[in-house]
Amino acid sequence: MPQTRPFASLRKTAIAQNLPSARGAAIVALPVPEAVTTITAPDMTSAPSPLPLAGRRPGPVPARRASPLARVALLAYVVLLVYGSLSPWAGWRSLGVGPLEFVRAPWPAYVTGFDLTLNVLAYAPLGLLIPLALHPRLRGLPAFVAAAGAAAVLSLVIESLQNYLPARIASNLDVLTNVAGASLGALAATVLAPKLIDGRQVQLARQRWFRPRSAVLLLLVALWPLAQIHPGPMLFGNGELDRELIAALLELANRRLPVFDAGQFAAAEVLVTACGMLAAGAALSAATKQDAPRLRLLLLLLATALGTKGITYGHEFGPERALAWLTPGAVAGLAIGLLAVTAAATAASAHAASMLSAAALLVLVVAVNAVPPNPYHAHWLAAWQPGRLRDLAAATDWLAQAWPYATLAALLWALRLGRRPPGQPQDA
């Protein structure tokens, strides 16, 4: 191999030999040693091309996404559906009948259109959520078949278990209407799943509005209006435990529940209403980014919760008492809570909103369980007859009891993830 000579030395040699290219703008045919030609070129394999080549796609096709929110919602709905369908979860016994004997039984002698419609409506959300949860692994016809089959299996299992509950009657017609409702929901989901999950506008809104790993918290916030169906002693007074359990715990500490007068009950309702509203609103702020329309989402959440409460009271106690829950204490609590959630939505960071919601939940559950039973509320409960909506009533009663504790656990988990050092992998 010839010896390497620097470029400046080559240029001096050309000038000494009076070559014409030495004084011009460029060297035309200067012989270059072999070593000089070994030049390291930049690696263009990984660098993006500044201009798209002819016939080349302008960018990669976005990959199909899965929906953690749909999967968490499916799990929660199955739990509520099973709990409501098997309530009151008492008096289990065998009647000497096979678990699937009802499948071959004749059609029920007494059937109402209301019951059939209720069965269809109860399983339609299940059929809607299954294809959304399976996307993109299953799409189209396979997703539809999977949703209908899963709904049929779940309905058969529930009806079989109802054979062992004296307050329940297993019915083959219930299974058919349940599968019909799930099929309608699955049909809608197979059409809507690509737009709801893979749609570019939806993905952009999800990235701009919601924080990562917030599916569980968003679902709990969305379930908060349903928890208001339960006719609790105070507005937004969720999280009430069994009174006998509370009395037993107080007895261990040589304590008893205090006796409240009307003014103290009103003050307690102000505190409970404000804390319940602040807990839900701050949890929503903790799950959303600053670019999200937080105030509009909060107002929509509050309007849904109050509308649910009004519809429930109007259905059970008559239209003239649809707003009987709107007591002076509830009005004052709504005013205070609205100011608090507005401040949290406009100024609080995700960490501060999580801390605020957790603190409000702690005050809420302590106040709800420390306030003695209200005799006026006990009088109202005497007229509470869920009737044919007993499945929905049982599920929402359990939801109202569990919502504060489940939300508190989700907030503490989010705070734990937020304290991890940068770069450390987070749990899924």
Side-chain angles (χ1 to χ4, degrees):
M1 185 188 323
Q3 187 178 2
T4 304
R5 297 176 61 188
F7 183 81
S9 176
L10 293 174
R11 190 171 186 275
K12 290 180 180 179
T13 303
I15 295 174
Q17 296 176 359
N18 197 20
L19 294 177
S21 60
R23 302 182 187 275
I27 299 177
V28 179
L30 181 64
V32 181
E34 183 180 354
V36 179
T37 62
T38 308
I39 302 176
T40 304
D43 184 11
M44 302 299 292
T45 58
S46 59
S49 177
L51 294 175
L53 301 177
R56 186 176 178 180
R57 293 182 180 180
V61 179
R64 291 187 173 93
R65 297 172 56 94
S67 176
L69 180 59
R71 295 174 180 178
V72 176
L74 174 62
L75 177 61
Y77 192 80
V78 169
V79 171
L80 292 175
L81 188 63
V82 171
Y83 185 88
S85 300
L86 297 179
S87 64
W89 292 80
W92 295 84
R93 64 182 181 180
S94 176
L95 301 178
V97 180
L100 296 177
E101 193 68 25
F102 69 94
V103 176
R104 298 179 297 177
W107 294 112
Y110 180 74
V111 179
T112 64
F114 181 85
D115 292 334
L116 298 180
T117 304
L118 189 62
N119 290 337
V120 171
L121 295 178
Y123 273 73
L126 178 67
L128 179 69
L129 289 171
I130 291 177
L132 295 179
L134 295 177
H135 187 85
R137 185 177 297 273
L138 290 181
R139 304 186 303 274
L141 182 59
F144 175 84
V145 173
V153 171
L154 180 62
S155 181
L156 282 172
V157 171
I158 290 177
E159 294 293 329
S160 299
L161 292 175
Q162 287 181 353
N163 280 320
Y164 302 96
L165 287 170
R168 295 288 181 169
I169 299 177
S171 170
N172 46 16
L173 187 57
D174 287 350
V175 176
L176 291 179
T177 51
N178 292 340
V179 175
S183 299
L184 292 176
L187 182 61
T190 54
V191 177
L192 297 176
K195 297 179 181 179
L196 292 178
I197 300 177
D198 296 332
R200 180 173 178 81
Q201 296 299 328
V202 176
Q203 291 188 19
L204 291 178
R206 182 165 52 228
Q207 294 174 0
R208 290 198 310 265
W209 291 5
F210 304 116
R211 299 187 181 277
R213 305 183 187 278
S214 60
V216 175
L217 195 56
L218 285 172
L219 175 65
L220 289 169
V221 171
L223 289 175
W224 182 65
L226 290 179
Q228 310 316 314
I229 295 179
H230 173 68
M234 294 167 280
L235 181 61
F236 304 151
N238 304 134
E240 184 180 10
L241 300 176
D242 183 71
R243 285 294 175 178
E244 295 182 359
L245 175 62
I246 297 297
L249 293 177
L250 291 176
E251 187 177 355
L252 292 176
N254 294 325
R255 299 279 185 177
R256 297 181 61 183
L257 287 175
V259 178
F260 278 16
D261 56 20
Q264 291 172 321
F265 274 120
E269 188 169 18
V270 173
L271 177 63
V272 168
T273 302
C275 287
M277 186 175 173
L278 178 59
L284 178 60
S285 298
T288 55
K289 298 180 180 179
Q290 292 289 347
D291 294 338
R294 285 182 172 179
L295 285 178
R296 282 181 288 174
L297 292 176
L298 286 170
L299 292 177
L300 177 61
L301 180 68
L302 179 61
T304 305
L306 297 179
T308 302
K309 178 68 75 174
I311 293 173
T312 303
Y313 267 64
H315 178 268
E316 296 298 331
F317 306 117
E320 68 280 0
R321 297 183 177 180
L323 299 179
W325 48 270
L326 198 60
T327 61
V331 173
L334 286 172
I336 297 174
L338 184 60
L339 293 176
V341 296
T342 302
T346 55
S349 62
H351 181 81
S354 299
M355 295 291 293
L356 187 61
S357 179
L361 286 170
L362 290 175
V363 176
L364 172 66
V365 296
V366 170
V368 166
N369 291 286
V371 174
N374 190 335
Y376 303 101
H377 178 253
H379 174 73
W380 274 97
L381 280 185
W384 177 259
Q385 299 293 335
R388 290 178 292 184
L389 295 176
R390 59 178 180 178
D391 293 357
L392 177 63
T396 53
D397 288 353
W398 180 76
L399 177 63
Q401 186 178 19
W403 186 87
Y405 307 101
T407 306
L408 182 60
L411 289 168
L412 294 178
W413 179 258
L415 290 172
R416 175 181 177 271
L417 293 179
R419 286 197 301 265
R420 294 198 170 197
Q424 183 175 349
Q426 296 182 348
D427 296 336

